[in-house]
Amino acid sequence: MTEASDPIPLASSSNGRVSGKPWKAQKMATVRSQASKGRKTQWEERMERTKREKAIKKLENELKEEKQAEKQRRRQITTERKKAAEERRKLEEDKAKMGVRKAARRRRQAGRTKKVNG
């Protein structure tokens, strides 16, 4: 009875027991010799790298937005200049028309006809 009550010493394993099948290999953690760099580095290093990459992306985006704003500003200036030039051209045409009308009115006032001026 003393033998039955004595605890049986357990072999040290992950679960505290041995399978009893000698042909079965003990399962172990996979050793990845060709693992990606992300898996081989420490967590802090990865977070530092991602932080740097985010900062670089942010700077790139700011530069891109600045460039876009400058392009937009130049485009706006060009369109304003075109509008001003068109406005000046229209005013010149209207001025010329008004000059012709005024001259015709003065000729009429002077008593000349189309046949004489023609």
Side-chain angles (χ1 to χ4, degrees), residues 97-118:
K97 278 185 185 177
M98 290 301 285
V100 169
R101 288 179 189 160
K102 203 171 197 179
R105 189 168 58 246
R106 286 197 178 155
R107 281 195 296 269
R108 280 195 303 274
Q109 285 173 353
R112 299 179 186 164
T113 61
K114 283 184 179 177
K115 289 178 183 175
V116 175
N117 290 327

Side-chain angles (χ1 to χ4, degrees), residues 27-45:
K27 287 187 178 178
M28 292 172 26
T30 306
V31 178
R32 290 182 175 91
S33 60
Q34 295 178 339
S36 64
K37 287 183 180 179
R39 293 198 180 276
K40 287 184 179 179
T41 58
Q42 294 296 320
W43 173 254
E44 290 81 15
E45 290 175 24

Side-chain angles (χ1 to χ4, degrees), residues 41-99:
T41 58
Q42 294 296 320
W43 173 254
E44 290 81 15
E45 290 175 24
R46 279 185 273 168
M47 293 312 292
E48 189 65 35
R49 190 182 319 130
T50 54
K51 200 159 95 174
R52 273 198 311 268
E53 287 171 358
K54 279 185 181 179
I56 290 169
K57 282 266 192 203
K58 187 176 177 184
L59 186 63
E60 284 177 355
N61 284 338
E62 286 175 3
L63 290 172
K64 194 184 284 184
E65 286 174 6
E66 248 179 56
K67 201 173 183 180
Q68 192 70 22
E70 179 66 22
K71 199 173 182 182
Q72 190 67 28
R73 188 184 64 82
R74 277 200 232 130
R75 190 176 286 154
Q76 183 71 22
I77 289 171
T78 305
T79 54
E80 286 174 4
R81 283 182 184 162
K82 282 182 181 177
K83 283 181 184 177
E86 183 67 22
E87 189 67 28
R88 280 195 300 271
R89 189 185 61 77
K90 283 183 179 179
L91 285 173
E92 288 294 323
E93 286 179 2
D94 290 346
K95 201 181 208 182
K97 278 185 185 177
M98 290 301 285

